[in-house]
Amino acid sequence: MSEAPPTPSAAFGAWAGGQVTERALCVLCPNPGPMTLDGTNTWVLLEPGATDAVVIDPGPLHEEHLRAVVAAVEARGARVARTVLTHGHADHAEGAERFAELTGAPTRAVGRGHDDLGDGDVVRAGGLELRVVATPGHTSDSLSFALPADHALLTGDTVLGRGTTVVAHPDGELAAYLDSLARLAALTGGGSVTSILPGHGPVVPDAAAMVAFYRRHRAERLEQVRQALADGAAQADDPVQAVVERVYADVPREVWPAAALSVAAQLEYLRARP
Ligand SMILES: [Zn+2]
């Protein structure tokens, strides 16, 4: 039997965002759903006393939300100086262009051409320092951001505030995802990062415990998939669907399409490692 995940710091419906560390404020987008949990977390990062803020993931193209983010920054006597994206999925990035129009701030992410972000890059604004940690796996362009001054790590969809994430095959890859979790385990295990500020769901106060749970969960799922294949799913007309029906029987059917992506990623992983 699998061990229980760490208890989320807020129950479903109780997470509303707000100021969570000295430098980090979450503006929660009103787009809750089976894949977005409580909604998308848009993060505003501001050094105390500074007037230049960094925004992580403006969110979907939701005019009221984008304006609420700008208002939250202005209420602190600041302006948005830089916008960065944890990855290109619509619930994080679709509003980026409109947000750039509203703020005049440049947007940086993986795969944006000349202004690409990469592992080890440092994003600075108003004395704030963010370090880029490449964490591909959920998608190939997934990034995390370390905020050393607050011992916090912003993980996008790589680690969530509750539940587990999808490896979005074929762009997302399980081998890359497992490597990324190992890197996050090294970061969180050393004590330099204590909390996770995720892309969806509440803040994770015990970063190391959550990353350890994610690694255990992935290993257990992979074993379940191996077992399902051995029990006959490998011979089914649609092995992915057959595995989903066996391994993800306990998750709501509305997330089965997402589970199918993770299963496809796991089958690809196992094919390369017979
Ligand atoms: Zn995503």
Side-chain angles (χ1 to χ4, degrees):
M1 225 16 238
S2 63
E3 278 176 70
T7 307
S9 68
F12 194 82
W15 168 245
Q19 191 81 36
V20 302
T21 69
E22 195 177 6
R23 293 166 181 79
L25 163 81
C26 174
V27 181
L28 178 63
C29 183
N31 64 334
M35 299 307 297
T36 54
L37 306 180
D38 316 62
T40 300
N41 292 333
T42 294
W43 292 99
V44 173
L45 307 176
L46 183 64
E47 191 70 16
T51 54
D52 278 356
V54 177
V55 167
I56 299 185
D57 289 352
L61 188 50
H62 186 299
E63 185 73 13
E64 275 169 57
H65 172 65
L66 300 177
R67 288 181 181 274
V69 175
V70 173
V73 173
E74 287 174 351
R76 282 158 180 77
R79 64 169 191 123
V80 180
R82 308 218 177 298
T83 302
V84 297
L85 304 178
T86 59
H87 64 299
H89 277 168
D91 55 326
H92 299 261
E94 185 192 43
E97 215 173 289
R98 175 66 183 138
F99 193 65
E101 282 174 16
L102 289 172
T103 61
T107 307
R108 298 189 67 191
V110 168
R112 292 225 152 200
H114 69 285
D115 212 10
D116 232 0
L117 275 182
D119 190 58
D121 285 355
V122 178
V123 177
R124 289 191 178 84
L128 186 98
E129 199 179 289
L130 268 184
R131 290 201 205 117
V132 177
V133 184
T135 46
H138 168 68
T139 58
S140 60
D141 67 348
S142 286
L143 298 176
S144 296
F145 297 90
L147 176 59
D150 283 0
H151 306 290
L153 184 70
L154 295 111
T155 50
D157 284 0
T158 298
V159 177
L160 303 175
R162 68 165 66 86
T164 57
T165 200
V166 171
V167 179
H169 177 83
D171 178 48
E173 287 188 275
L174 182 59
Y177 186 65
L178 295 177
D179 286 349
S180 292
L181 288 182
R183 303 187 67 202
L184 294 188
L187 265 177
T188 55
S192 63
V193 168
T194 53
S195 64
I196 286 174
L197 317 186
H200 304 279
V203 166
V204 178
D206 188 342
M210 187 61 100
V211 173
F213 163 69
Y214 264 59
R215 298 181 80 190
R216 263 196 331 269
H217 169 78
R218 274 294 144 219
E220 286 168 4
R221 275 285 191 239
L222 200 55
E223 199 39 55
Q224 292 168 339
V225 170
R226 258 196 203 104
Q227 197 58 53
L229 290 170
D231 288 349
Q235 282 76 46
D237 290 340
D238 184 346
V240 169
Q241 192 56 25
V243 170
V244 169
E245 284 167 12
R246 283 159 206 243
V247 174
Y248 291 81
D250 58 334
V251 306
R253 277 181 182 245
E254 56 189 345
V255 303
W256 275 18
L261 298 181
S262 281
V263 166
Q266 291 174 89
L267 297 188
E268 179 193 70
Y269 180 88
L270 291 171
R271 264 196 304 276
R273 291 160 190 80

